[in-house]
mmCIF file of all heavy atoms in Angstrom:
data_model
loop_
_atom_site.group_PDB
_atom_site.id
_atom_site.type_symbol
_atom_site.label_atom_id
_atom_site.label_comp_id
_atom_site.label_asym_id
_atom_site.label_seq_id
_atom_site.Cartn_x
_atom_site.Cartn_y
_atom_site.Cartn_z
ATOM 1 N N ASN V 63 -31.272 28.735 -15.056
ATOM 2 C CA ASN V 63 -30.004 28.177 -15.551
ATOM 3 C C ASN V 63 -28.788 28.921 -14.998
ATOM 4 O O ASN V 63 -27.767 29.076 -15.670
ATOM 5 C CB ASN V 63 -29.980 28.198 -17.092
ATOM 6 C CG ASN V 63 -31.018 27.265 -17.676
ATOM 7 O OD1 ASN V 63 -31.093 26.093 -17.291
ATOM 8 N ND2 ASN V 63 -31.834 27.771 -18.584
ATOM 9 N N ASP V 64 -28.915 29.318 -13.745
ATOM 10 C CA ASP V 64 -27.832 30.018 -13.059
ATOM 11 C C ASP V 64 -26.895 28.966 -12.462
ATOM 12 O O ASP V 64 -26.835 28.783 -11.245
ATOM 13 C CB ASP V 64 -28.444 30.917 -11.979
ATOM 14 C CG ASP V 64 -27.416 31.796 -11.300
ATOM 15 O OD1 ASP V 64 -26.275 31.851 -11.788
ATOM 16 O OD2 ASP V 64 -27.753 32.412 -10.263
ATOM 17 N N GLY V 72 -16.949 34.987 -5.316
ATOM 18 C CA GLY V 72 -18.393 34.889 -5.167
ATOM 19 C C GLY V 72 -19.114 36.019 -5.879
ATOM 20 O O GLY V 72 -18.512 37.012 -6.289
ATOM 21 N N PHE V 84 -21.868 42.910 7.960
ATOM 22 C CA PHE V 84 -20.755 43.164 8.875
ATOM 23 C C PHE V 84 -20.882 44.534 9.538
ATOM 24 O O PHE V 84 -20.633 44.687 10.735
ATOM 25 C CB PHE V 84 -19.415 43.070 8.135
ATOM 26 C CG PHE V 84 -18.847 41.680 8.094
ATOM 27 C CD1 PHE V 84 -18.529 41.075 6.884
ATOM 28 C CD2 PHE V 84 -18.601 40.974 9.262
ATOM 29 C CE1 PHE V 84 -18.001 39.799 6.844
ATOM 30 C CE2 PHE V 84 -18.068 39.694 9.230
ATOM 31 C CZ PHE V 84 -17.774 39.100 8.021
ATOM 32 N N PHE V 114 -1.359 30.653 6.003
ATOM 33 C CA PHE V 114 -0.547 31.411 6.963
ATOM 34 C C PHE V 114 0.241 30.592 7.978
ATOM 35 O O PHE V 114 1.134 31.117 8.630
ATOM 36 C CB PHE V 114 -1.448 32.397 7.715
ATOM 37 C CG PHE V 114 -2.039 33.437 6.817
ATOM 38 C CD1 PHE V 114 -3.376 33.399 6.475
ATOM 39 C CD2 PHE V 114 -1.248 34.439 6.278
ATOM 40 C CE1 PHE V 114 -3.923 34.344 5.624
ATOM 41 C CE2 PHE V 114 -1.781 35.391 5.423
ATOM 42 C CZ PHE V 114 -3.125 35.344 5.100
ATOM 43 N N LYS V 156 -10.117 33.424 28.547
ATOM 44 C CA LYS V 156 -9.771 34.667 29.215
ATOM 45 C C LYS V 156 -8.508 35.264 28.590
ATOM 46 O O LYS V 156 -7.533 34.565 28.331
ATOM 47 C CB LYS V 156 -9.546 34.444 30.709
ATOM 48 C CG LYS V 156 -10.676 33.694 31.419
ATOM 49 C CD LYS V 156 -12.017 34.384 31.288
ATOM 50 C CE LYS V 156 -12.099 35.678 32.051
ATOM 51 N NZ LYS V 156 -13.441 36.306 31.944
ATOM 52 N N GLU V 161 -2.545 35.798 27.107
ATOM 53 C CA GLU V 161 -1.333 36.628 27.143
ATOM 54 C C GLU V 161 -0.130 35.842 27.651
ATOM 55 O O GLU V 161 0.990 36.017 27.164
ATOM 56 C CB GLU V 161 -1.566 37.857 28.018
ATOM 57 C CG GLU V 161 -0.446 38.870 27.962
ATOM 58 C CD GLU V 161 -0.778 40.190 28.628
ATOM 59 O OE1 GLU V 161 -1.789 40.248 29.362
ATOM 60 O OE2 GLU V 161 -0.037 41.173 28.417
ATOM 61 N N ASN V 167 7.138 32.853 18.569
ATOM 62 C CA ASN V 167 6.674 31.922 17.527
ATOM 63 C C ASN V 167 5.161 31.931 17.333
ATOM 64 O O ASN V 167 4.644 31.199 16.482
ATOM 65 C CB ASN V 167 7.129 30.495 17.868
ATOM 66 C CG ASN V 167 8.633 30.351 17.865
ATOM 67 O OD1 ASN V 167 9.307 30.892 16.989
ATOM 68 N ND2 ASN V 167 9.172 29.647 18.854
ATOM 69 N N ASP V 200 1.604 41.321 16.863
ATOM 70 C CA ASP V 200 1.554 40.989 15.440
ATOM 71 C C ASP V 200 1.277 39.514 15.172
ATOM 72 O O ASP V 200 2.058 38.812 14.549
ATOM 73 C CB ASP V 200 2.861 41.407 14.747
ATOM 74 C CG ASP V 200 2.705 41.372 13.226
ATOM 75 O OD1 ASP V 200 1.573 41.521 12.744
ATOM 76 O OD2 ASP V 200 3.735 41.190 12.534
ATOM 77 N N GLU V 252 -7.024 43.561 2.835
ATOM 78 C CA GLU V 252 -6.647 43.305 1.438
ATOM 79 C C GLU V 252 -5.431 42.394 1.314
ATOM 80 O O GLU V 252 -5.407 41.468 0.496
ATOM 81 C CB GLU V 252 -6.370 44.645 0.742
ATOM 82 C CG GLU V 252 -6.091 44.513 -0.749
ATOM 83 C CD GLU V 252 -5.907 45.860 -1.424
ATOM 84 O OE1 GLU V 252 -6.116 46.896 -0.759
ATOM 85 O OE2 GLU V 252 -5.554 45.872 -2.617
ATOM 86 N N ASN V 351 -8.603 19.036 27.949
ATOM 87 C CA ASN V 351 -9.419 19.652 28.989
ATOM 88 C C ASN V 351 -10.882 19.233 28.884
ATOM 89 O O ASN V 351 -11.679 19.540 29.765
ATOM 90 C CB ASN V 351 -9.311 21.176 28.915
ATOM 91 C CG ASN V 351 -9.486 21.836 30.273
ATOM 92 O OD1 ASN V 351 -8.998 21.331 31.275
ATOM 93 N ND2 ASN V 351 -10.179 22.960 30.313
ATOM 94 N N MET V 358 -23.217 17.257 24.470
ATOM 95 C CA MET V 358 -24.567 16.918 24.032
ATOM 96 C C MET V 358 -25.115 18.092 23.236
ATOM 97 O O MET V 358 -25.054 19.235 23.680
ATOM 98 C CB MET V 358 -25.475 16.625 25.229
ATOM 99 C CG MET V 358 -25.046 15.431 26.057
ATOM 100 S SD MET V 358 -26.241 15.073 27.380
ATOM 101 C CE MET V 358 -25.294 13.852 28.327
#
Side-chain angles (χ1 to χ4, degrees):
N63 294 310
D64 186 10
F84 272 124
F114 296 107
K156 309 302 291 182
E161 188 170 13
N167 296 319
D200 193 26
E252 185 176 354
N351 210 39
M358 297 184 190

